[in-house]
mmCIF file of all heavy atoms in Angstrom:
data_model
loop_
_atom_site.group_PDB
_atom_site.id
_atom_site.type_symbol
_atom_site.label_atom_id
_atom_site.label_comp_id
_atom_site.label_asym_id
_atom_site.label_seq_id
_atom_site.Cartn_x
_atom_site.Cartn_y
_atom_site.Cartn_z
ATOM 1 N N THR A 135 110.800 126.794 87.228
ATOM 2 C CA THR A 135 109.549 126.479 86.518
ATOM 3 C C THR A 135 108.320 127.038 87.233
ATOM 4 O O THR A 135 107.208 126.910 86.738
ATOM 5 C CB THR A 135 109.370 124.961 86.372
ATOM 6 O OG1 THR A 135 109.339 124.355 87.674
ATOM 7 C CG2 THR A 135 110.520 124.362 85.563
ATOM 8 N N ARG A 136 108.529 127.657 88.406
ATOM 9 C CA ARG A 136 107.414 128.189 89.200
ATOM 10 C C ARG A 136 107.751 129.631 89.573
ATOM 11 O O ARG A 136 108.791 129.891 90.179
ATOM 12 C CB ARG A 136 107.189 127.342 90.453
ATOM 13 C CG ARG A 136 106.970 125.859 90.155
ATOM 14 C CD ARG A 136 106.985 125.043 91.452
ATOM 15 N NE ARG A 136 106.919 123.615 91.184
ATOM 16 C CZ ARG A 136 107.973 122.840 90.982
ATOM 17 N NH1 ARG A 136 109.209 123.370 91.015
ATOM 18 N NH2 ARG A 136 107.833 121.557 90.758
ATOM 19 N N PHE A 137 106.845 130.559 89.251
ATOM 20 C CA PHE A 137 107.111 131.981 89.404
ATOM 21 C C PHE A 137 105.955 132.670 90.140
ATOM 22 O O PHE A 137 104.793 132.345 89.908
ATOM 23 C CB PHE A 137 107.267 132.645 88.033
ATOM 24 C CG PHE A 137 108.403 132.099 87.217
ATOM 25 C CD1 PHE A 137 108.285 130.883 86.544
ATOM 26 C CD2 PHE A 137 109.594 132.797 87.114
ATOM 27 C CE1 PHE A 137 109.324 130.380 85.778
ATOM 28 C CE2 PHE A 137 110.650 132.304 86.349
ATOM 29 C CZ PHE A 137 110.508 131.084 85.692
ATOM 30 N N LYS A 138 106.296 133.637 90.982
ATOM 31 C CA LYS A 138 105.249 134.422 91.654
ATOM 32 C C LYS A 138 105.407 135.893 91.316
ATOM 33 O O LYS A 138 106.512 136.432 91.323
ATOM 34 C CB LYS A 138 105.293 134.230 93.172
ATOM 35 C CG LYS A 138 104.089 134.866 93.879
ATOM 36 C CD LYS A 138 103.967 134.377 95.320
ATOM 37 C CE LYS A 138 104.950 135.047 96.230
ATOM 38 N NZ LYS A 138 104.782 134.595 97.630
ATOM 39 N N VAL A 139 104.264 136.544 91.025
ATOM 40 C CA VAL A 139 104.258 137.952 90.670
ATOM 41 C C VAL A 139 103.403 138.718 91.675
ATOM 42 O O VAL A 139 102.343 138.260 92.097
ATOM 43 C CB VAL A 139 103.720 138.160 89.226
ATOM 44 C CG1 VAL A 139 102.338 137.549 89.057
ATOM 45 C CG2 VAL A 139 103.688 139.635 88.857
ATOM 46 N N LYS A 140 103.881 139.873 92.077
ATOM 47 C CA LYS A 140 103.132 140.742 92.991
ATOM 48 C C LYS A 140 102.088 141.529 92.202
ATOM 49 O O LYS A 140 102.377 142.044 91.118
ATOM 50 C CB LYS A 140 104.076 141.712 93.698
ATOM 51 C CG LYS A 140 105.162 141.035 94.537
ATOM 52 C CD LYS A 140 104.592 140.431 95.806
ATOM 53 C CE LYS A 140 105.703 139.874 96.686
ATOM 54 N NZ LYS A 140 105.201 139.411 97.989
ATOM 55 N N VAL A 141 100.890 141.629 92.768
ATOM 56 C CA VAL A 141 99.797 142.352 92.106
ATOM 57 C C VAL A 141 99.046 143.198 93.133
ATOM 58 O O VAL A 141 99.265 143.091 94.328
ATOM 59 C CB VAL A 141 98.808 141.371 91.424
ATOM 60 C CG1 VAL A 141 99.504 140.574 90.322
ATOM 61 C CG2 VAL A 141 98.171 140.423 92.448
ATOM 62 N N GLY A 142 98.140 144.044 92.611
ATOM 63 C CA GLY A 142 97.228 144.746 93.503
ATOM 64 C C GLY A 142 97.304 146.250 93.512
ATOM 65 O O GLY A 142 96.412 146.905 94.038
ATOM 66 N N ALA A 143 98.360 146.835 92.956
ATOM 67 C CA ALA A 143 98.491 148.290 93.001
ATOM 68 C C ALA A 143 97.655 148.970 91.923
ATOM 69 O O ALA A 143 96.982 149.972 92.165
ATOM 70 C CB ALA A 143 99.961 148.686 92.863
ATOM 71 N N ASP A 144 97.700 148.417 90.699
ATOM 72 C CA ASP A 144 96.989 149.015 89.568
ATOM 73 C C ASP A 144 96.588 147.893 88.620
ATOM 74 O O ASP A 144 97.442 147.121 88.174
ATOM 75 C CB ASP A 144 97.884 150.038 88.858
ATOM 76 C CG ASP A 144 97.197 150.651 87.648
ATOM 77 O OD1 ASP A 144 96.496 151.670 87.829
ATOM 78 O OD2 ASP A 144 97.356 150.104 86.536
ATOM 79 N N LEU A 145 95.311 147.799 88.298
ATOM 80 C CA LEU A 145 94.813 146.672 87.516
ATOM 81 C C LEU A 145 95.440 146.606 86.129
ATOM 82 O O LEU A 145 95.892 145.542 85.683
ATOM 83 C CB LEU A 145 93.290 146.735 87.398
ATOM 84 C CG LEU A 145 92.648 145.614 86.572
ATOM 85 C CD1 LEU A 145 92.998 144.239 87.121
ATOM 86 C CD2 LEU A 145 91.137 145.816 86.505
ATOM 87 N N GLN A 146 95.468 147.722 85.424
ATOM 88 C CA GLN A 146 96.026 147.702 84.065
ATOM 89 C C GLN A 146 97.514 147.367 84.082
ATOM 90 O O GLN A 146 98.019 146.655 83.201
ATOM 91 C CB GLN A 146 95.780 149.054 83.381
ATOM 92 C CG GLN A 146 94.313 149.344 83.128
ATOM 93 C CD GLN A 146 93.607 148.209 82.382
ATOM 94 O OE1 GLN A 146 94.124 147.693 81.372
ATOM 95 N NE2 GLN A 146 92.440 147.810 82.858
ATOM 96 N N ASP A 147 98.207 147.858 85.097
ATOM 97 C CA ASP A 147 99.624 147.524 85.250
ATOM 98 C C ASP A 147 99.787 146.028 85.522
ATOM 99 O O ASP A 147 100.691 145.376 84.976
ATOM 100 C CB ASP A 147 100.231 148.344 86.393
ATOM 101 C CG ASP A 147 101.733 148.183 86.486
ATOM 102 O OD1 ASP A 147 102.412 148.367 85.464
ATOM 103 O OD2 ASP A 147 102.228 147.847 87.579
ATOM 104 N N ASP A 148 98.902 145.478 86.361
ATOM 105 C CA ASP A 148 98.948 144.039 86.651
ATOM 106 C C ASP A 148 98.721 143.218 85.382
ATOM 107 O O ASP A 148 99.410 142.222 85.136
ATOM 108 C CB ASP A 148 97.882 143.669 87.687
ATOM 109 C CG ASP A 148 98.254 144.093 89.096
ATOM 110 O OD1 ASP A 148 99.422 144.476 89.312
ATOM 111 O OD2 ASP A 148 97.380 144.038 89.977
ATOM 112 N N ILE A 149 97.736 143.618 84.594
ATOM 113 C CA ILE A 149 97.433 142.887 83.357
ATOM 114 C C ILE A 149 98.646 142.893 82.429
ATOM 115 O O ILE A 149 99.023 141.858 81.872
ATOM 116 C CB ILE A 149 96.199 143.496 82.658
ATOM 117 C CG1 ILE A 149 94.933 143.212 83.490
ATOM 118 C CG2 ILE A 149 96.050 142.952 81.236
ATOM 119 C CD1 ILE A 149 93.697 143.938 83.000
ATOM 120 N N ARG A 150 99.279 144.050 82.291
ATOM 121 C CA ARG A 150 100.447 144.145 81.414
ATOM 122 C C ARG A 150 101.596 143.280 81.933
ATOM 123 O O ARG A 150 102.220 142.513 81.180
ATOM 124 C CB ARG A 150 100.917 145.602 81.321
ATOM 125 C CG ARG A 150 101.962 145.834 80.230
ATOM 126 C CD ARG A 150 102.627 147.190 80.297
ATOM 127 N NE ARG A 150 103.617 147.257 81.383
ATOM 128 C CZ ARG A 150 103.415 147.850 82.537
ATOM 129 N NH1 ARG A 150 102.252 148.450 82.796
ATOM 130 N NH2 ARG A 150 104.349 147.864 83.473
ATOM 131 N N ARG A 151 101.872 143.368 83.220
ATOM 132 C CA ARG A 151 102.996 142.628 83.805
ATOM 133 C C ARG A 151 102.745 141.123 83.779
ATOM 134 O O ARG A 151 103.648 140.326 83.496
ATOM 135 C CB ARG A 151 103.250 143.106 85.235
ATOM 136 C CG ARG A 151 103.768 144.546 85.289
ATOM 137 C CD ARG A 151 103.698 145.142 86.685
ATOM 138 N NE ARG A 151 104.615 144.479 87.606
ATOM 139 C CZ ARG A 151 104.228 143.681 88.590
ATOM 140 N NH1 ARG A 151 102.934 143.436 88.781
ATOM 141 N NH2 ARG A 151 105.112 143.129 89.384
ATOM 142 N N CYS A 152 101.515 140.712 84.106
ATOM 143 C CA CYS A 152 101.189 139.283 84.099
ATOM 144 C C CYS A 152 101.256 138.711 82.680
ATOM 145 O O CYS A 152 101.720 137.570 82.479
ATOM 146 C CB CYS A 152 99.815 139.043 84.700
ATOM 147 S SG CYS A 152 99.754 139.292 86.505
ATOM 148 N N ARG A 153 100.813 139.491 81.707
ATOM 149 C CA ARG A 153 100.883 139.029 80.313
ATOM 150 C C ARG A 153 102.343 138.882 79.888
ATOM 151 O O ARG A 153 102.723 137.888 79.230
ATOM 152 C CB ARG A 153 100.150 140.001 79.400
ATOM 153 C CG ARG A 153 100.213 139.590 77.925
ATOM 154 C CD ARG A 153 99.310 140.430 77.048
ATOM 155 N NE ARG A 153 97.898 140.106 77.269
ATOM 156 C CZ ARG A 153 96.984 140.952 77.730
ATOM 157 N NH1 ARG A 153 97.344 142.208 78.007
ATOM 158 N NH2 ARG A 153 95.741 140.577 77.909
ATOM 159 N N LEU A 154 103.167 139.840 80.278
ATOM 160 C CA LEU A 154 104.585 139.795 79.948
ATOM 161 C C LEU A 154 105.233 138.537 80.518
ATOM 162 O O LEU A 154 105.950 137.801 79.815
ATOM 163 C CB LEU A 154 105.269 141.057 80.494
ATOM 164 C CG LEU A 154 106.744 141.300 80.164
ATOM 165 C CD1 LEU A 154 107.052 142.794 80.266
ATOM 166 C CD2 LEU A 154 107.677 140.528 81.087
ATOM 167 N N ILE A 155 104.964 138.272 81.797
ATOM 168 C CA ILE A 155 105.594 137.119 82.459
ATOM 169 C C ILE A 155 105.049 135.801 81.910
ATOM 170 O O ILE A 155 105.813 134.868 81.624
ATOM 171 C CB ILE A 155 105.388 137.205 83.981
ATOM 172 C CG1 ILE A 155 106.164 138.402 84.539
ATOM 173 C CG2 ILE A 155 105.833 135.915 84.674
ATOM 174 C CD1 ILE A 155 105.848 138.737 85.962
ATOM 175 N N ARG A 156 103.723 135.727 81.719
ATOM 176 C CA ARG A 156 103.146 134.488 81.196
ATOM 177 C C ARG A 156 103.673 134.196 79.787
ATOM 178 O O ARG A 156 103.986 133.046 79.458
ATOM 179 C CB ARG A 156 101.616 134.581 81.196
ATOM 180 C CG ARG A 156 100.898 133.392 80.587
ATOM 181 C CD ARG A 156 101.369 132.074 81.185
ATOM 182 N NE ARG A 156 100.679 131.727 82.423
ATOM 183 C CZ ARG A 156 101.036 130.692 83.188
ATOM 184 N NH1 ARG A 156 102.069 129.935 82.834
ATOM 185 N NH2 ARG A 156 100.386 130.422 84.294
ATOM 186 N N ASN A 157 103.819 135.220 78.974
ATOM 187 C CA ASN A 157 104.356 135.016 77.630
ATOM 188 C C ASN A 157 105.804 134.535 77.677
ATOM 189 O O ASN A 157 106.235 133.730 76.845
ATOM 190 C CB ASN A 157 104.271 136.305 76.813
ATOM 191 C CG ASN A 157 102.852 136.625 76.387
ATOM 192 O OD1 ASN A 157 101.985 135.754 76.381
ATOM 193 N ND2 ASN A 157 102.602 137.876 76.034
ATOM 194 N N MET A 158 106.554 135.015 78.659
ATOM 195 C CA MET A 158 107.959 134.624 78.773
ATOM 196 C C MET A 158 108.119 133.194 79.277
ATOM 197 O O MET A 158 108.956 132.439 78.781
ATOM 198 C CB MET A 158 108.703 135.584 79.707
ATOM 199 C CG MET A 158 108.954 136.958 79.118
ATOM 200 S SD MET A 158 110.232 137.835 80.016
ATOM 201 C CE MET A 158 111.690 136.881 79.611
#
Side-chain angles (χ1 to χ4, degrees):
T135 60
R136 305 171 186 89
F137 299 78
K138 189 166 77 178
V139 56
K140 300 287 185 174
V141 297
D144 178 88
L145 179 57
Q146 294 307 313
D147 188 52
D148 285 349
I149 291 172
R150 191 191 76 257
R151 293 166 67 251
C152 289
R153 179 171 288 118
L154 185 156
I155 293 170
R156 176 52 85 187
N157 287 341
M158 287 198 68

